[in-house]
Amino acid sequence: MRTILAFLMTAMLASGCSFAPDYHRPEQELPSSWGDDDSRPEPGELSREWWRRFNDDALNELVSLALARNRDLEQSLARVDSARAALGLARADLFPQFSAQGSGVRTRSSLDASATYGVMEELGALEERVGRLDGQEGRGASAPSRVDSLWSGAVQAAWELDIWGRYRNAADAAREKLLSAEDAERAMELSLAGQVCSAYFDLLNYQEQLDLTERTLATRERSAALYERQYAEGAISELDILNVRTQVDSLKDSLAQAKTRLEQAEGALLLLTGASPEEIFAGRARRGVPLASLPAAPQLPAGLPSELLNRRPDIRSAEAELRAAHFQVGEARAAFFPSISLTGSLGTSSAELDTLFSGAASTWSFGGNVALPLFTFGRTISGVRQAEAAVRAAAASYELTVQQAFRDIRSALAAQKNAAESVRSLADAAQRMEKAAALSRARYETGYSPYLDVLEAERTLYASQMQLASVRAAQLAAVAQVCVVLGGGW
């Protein structure tokens, strides 16, 4: 017994070893700042619910619905639960496994199939005849019973000692996989919120374009009715009335296209919010404040760009995958060494149920098993090489994720800055075109310019107003994208 205890103590002390390679975060050259100090805005903290910075209750409700009902996000949450269960399975291998079993068997033997039964029966008959001759009835030997019973119960234990860290590395890898799944789910939440914001801004953009087209068409139709009377009176030429009619027809076509874009944007937004097929087909997405009323102040984080590695969930997810791959190398290397298993059983066995738990019915057993792979024809070394290749692939994936993150930030910051400049320029241009259209209409009415000048000015005004609505939506989407690429708040 002392030998067994000494062996167990030695095995438990040796179980601290691990063949997993040491982990070091891959080194990459990161920028020292977010951009030129002269052009970038003041840094500030970013709220975790960053979409609330737009001060639109409708948008807040839509994002909340998406985070609660989106099916893609639900799949990601299921993957987190699956990874958590896998961690539980991996940890279970570190401990002894206990089980209990019980059985009861009652059998009846065959007379023809049992030679012993026949011999005993003949001996019993012979002894009974001898007894009768001696005047001693009933002393003959009895044949064995044809009915037998066996009752048993036992508690069993089995434990494979994790001397080389195989199961411990597997559990560590499963833990990193869980962390990766959790961060991937957070990354999907972040991306989903950004998609909802962009889809909402598109919806407001197309709604504004629809309203603008309807107002412009109504104005053109009123003007066309006036010009029709002037044409009937011979006050304007046929060329002028043809241009008027063409402009009205063109606006009707623009109105139909605006309605189509609005329906498509609404359907895309409802899909993101997890609406049912009936809601998507017949529903109407909620709208809040007008597009021009939404704040679009740019946002940058406090701190250095290197802190982004700990802020973006997709980067954290990729790094967790890399750490998991390191532990899987240790798990694969442990296959070169022997596995030691211990088994034990404690129970009872009896032919009678009422004596099953008596001292004489007790049974026990214990033992050990050692298995060492000898010739695997390259299976073990191939497993190690496969795990080491997975480490290189995970490292490349991590580095690519970091590169893409900074690419995304550069693009988002540029889009935010350029969209703000475009909004200012187009707003000024729209104001000037309103004045130009009014002047051209007045000059035409006084006979100083042809009607073509009026048409051109009004066409340019309408186009600039439509473009201004699109650029405003793009600016808001760029601000939302900056919040997304910076990790969504901290």
Side-chain angles (χ1 to χ4, degrees):
M1 183 62 69
R2 291 180 180 178
T3 304
I4 296 174
L5 292 177
F7 172 76
L8 291 176
M9 292 296 296
T10 304
M12 295 180 69
L13 291 175
S15 64
C17 70
S18 172
F19 295 104
D22 295 334
Y23 172 75
H24 301 284
R25 176 184 285 179
E27 296 290 338
Q28 290 181 285
E29 295 182 5
L30 303 179
S32 58
S33 66
W34 293 111
D36 298 333
D37 293 336
D38 296 335
S39 61
R40 70 183 182 92
E42 291 296 325
E45 293 299 322
L46 188 59
S47 170
R48 289 189 180 274
E49 295 184 338
W50 50 268
W51 54 88
R52 295 186 178 275
R53 69 190 306 278
F54 296 105
N55 300 324
D56 190 331
D57 292 337
L59 176 60
N60 297 338
E61 180 183 346
L62 290 169
V63 174
S64 298
L65 286 173
L67 295 179
R69 306 191 305 182
N70 184 268
R71 297 300 94 191
D72 289 333
L73 187 59
E74 182 64 27
Q75 293 180 39
S76 183
L77 289 170
R79 285 191 287 271
V80 172
D81 291 339
S82 177
R84 186 174 291 110
L87 175 58
L89 291 173
R91 284 177 173 173
D93 290 333
L94 294 170
F95 303 97
Q97 305 298 306
F98 295 91
S99 62
Q101 68 175 18
S103 65
V105 181
R106 189 169 177 83
T107 60
R108 183 175 187 272
S109 302
S110 170
L111 292 176
D112 296 333
S114 176
T116 302
Y117 188 93
V119 171
M120 292 298 294
E121 187 178 32
E122 291 178 359
L123 290 175
L126 178 61
E127 187 171 347
E128 185 176 358
R129 288 196 297 271
V130 172
R132 282 199 300 269
L133 292 174
D134 294 341
Q136 299 177 354
E137 297 288 342
R139 294 185 57 187
S142 60
S145 173
R146 295 177 59 195
V147 179
D148 297 307
S149 299
L150 179 63
W151 306 92
S152 65
V155 176
Q156 298 176 334
W159 185 22
E160 182 174 343
L161 302 179
D162 191 27
I163 298 177
W164 319 113
R166 175 185 177 186
Y167 294 117
R168 190 169 59 258
N169 282 323
D172 290 338
R175 185 188 68 249
E176 295 298 335
K177 291 283 188 180
L178 173 59
L179 294 176
S180 177
E182 290 175 341
D183 282 324
E185 188 271 332
R186 295 188 188 101
M188 181 166 287
E189 285 186 357
L190 181 59
S191 175
L192 178 61
Q195 293 177 51
V196 171
C197 289
S198 296
Y200 180 71
F201 298 146
D202 284 341
L203 180 67
L204 294 185
N205 169 35
Y206 295 136
Q207 182 66 62
E208 184 169 325
Q209 290 186 359
L210 177 62
D211 295 340
L212 174 62
T213 304
E214 288 177 341
R215 292 195 304 269
T216 305
L217 178 59
T219 301
R220 297 295 187 275
E221 287 178 335
R222 287 194 298 270
S223 299
L226 176 61
Y227 292 135
E228 288 286 355
R229 289 195 297 270
Q230 292 179 355
Y231 174 69
E233 296 171 357
I236 61 175
S237 66
E238 184 179 3
L239 178 61
D240 288 340
I241 196 61
L242 289 176
N243 287 327
V244 169
R245 293 169 180 170
T246 301
Q247 189 178 45
V248 170
D249 292 338
S250 178
L251 282 171
K252 288 180 179 179
D253 174 66
S254 298
L255 180 63
Q257 294 183 21
K259 290 180 179 179
T260 299
R261 290 193 295 267
L262 181 62
E263 289 288 342
Q264 293 173 344
E266 192 169 40
L269 181 57
L270 288 171
L271 179 62
L272 288 173
T273 59
S276 67
E278 181 181 2
E279 291 172 332
I280 292 174
F281 192 78
R284 175 179 171 84
R286 182 183 172 188
R287 295 160 176 78
V289 299
L291 189 66
S293 301
L294 293 173
Q299 181 76 52
L300 275 178
L304 299 175
S306 59
E307 297 177 7
L308 185 73
L309 302 183
N310 298 322
R311 288 175 176 173
R312 277 189 52 143
D314 59 336
I315 295 179
R316 295 200 306 267
S317 176
E319 187 173 9
E321 287 285 348
L322 177 57
R323 291 194 298 266
H326 279 72
F327 287 120
Q328 287 171 335
V329 170
E331 181 184 359
R333 289 174 177 173
F336 280 110
F337 300 90
S339 61
I340 302 175
S341 301
L342 302 178
T343 59
S345 175
L346 177 64
T348 61
S349 179
S350 174
E352 300 294 336
L353 184 60
D354 55 356
T355 60
L356 181 61
F357 297 101
S358 64
S362 63
T363 63
W364 59 265
S365 66
F366 69 89
N369 178 66
V370 178
L372 176 65
L374 295 178
F375 301 103
T376 61
F377 300 95
R379 177 185 295 273
T380 305
I381 188 62
S382 295
V384 173
R385 290 170 179 170
Q386 184 181 42
E388 291 173 344
V391 170
R392 296 197 303 273
S397 177
Y398 169 78
E399 293 173 349
L400 179 60
T401 302
V402 175
Q403 293 169 352
Q404 291 174 337
F406 281 92
R407 186 275 314 273
D408 294 342
I409 291 176
R410 177 181 178 180
S411 300
L413 292 177
Q416 175 182 257
K417 177 183 176 182
N418 296 331
E421 294 176 355
S422 296
V423 168
R424 287 193 295 268
S425 299
L426 287 173
D428 293 340
Q431 290 180 353
R432 287 192 294 269
M433 286 311 303
E434 287 181 0
K435 184 177 180 180
L439 288 175
S440 63
R441 197 175 300 110
R443 287 175 60 83
Y444 170 74
E445 291 174 353
T446 57
Y448 284 101
S449 63
Y451 187 68
L452 288 176
D453 291 348
V454 178
L455 291 178
E456 183 61 27
E458 291 179 343
R459 249 194 317 265
T460 305
L461 172 61
Y462 172 73
S464 63
Q465 290 173 331
M466 294 283 283
Q467 189 175 5
L468 177 59
S470 296
V471 173
R472 277 177 174 159
Q475 182 191 17
L476 292 168
V479 174
Q481 186 62 21
V482 169
C483 296
V484 170
V485 298
L486 292 177
W490 44 87

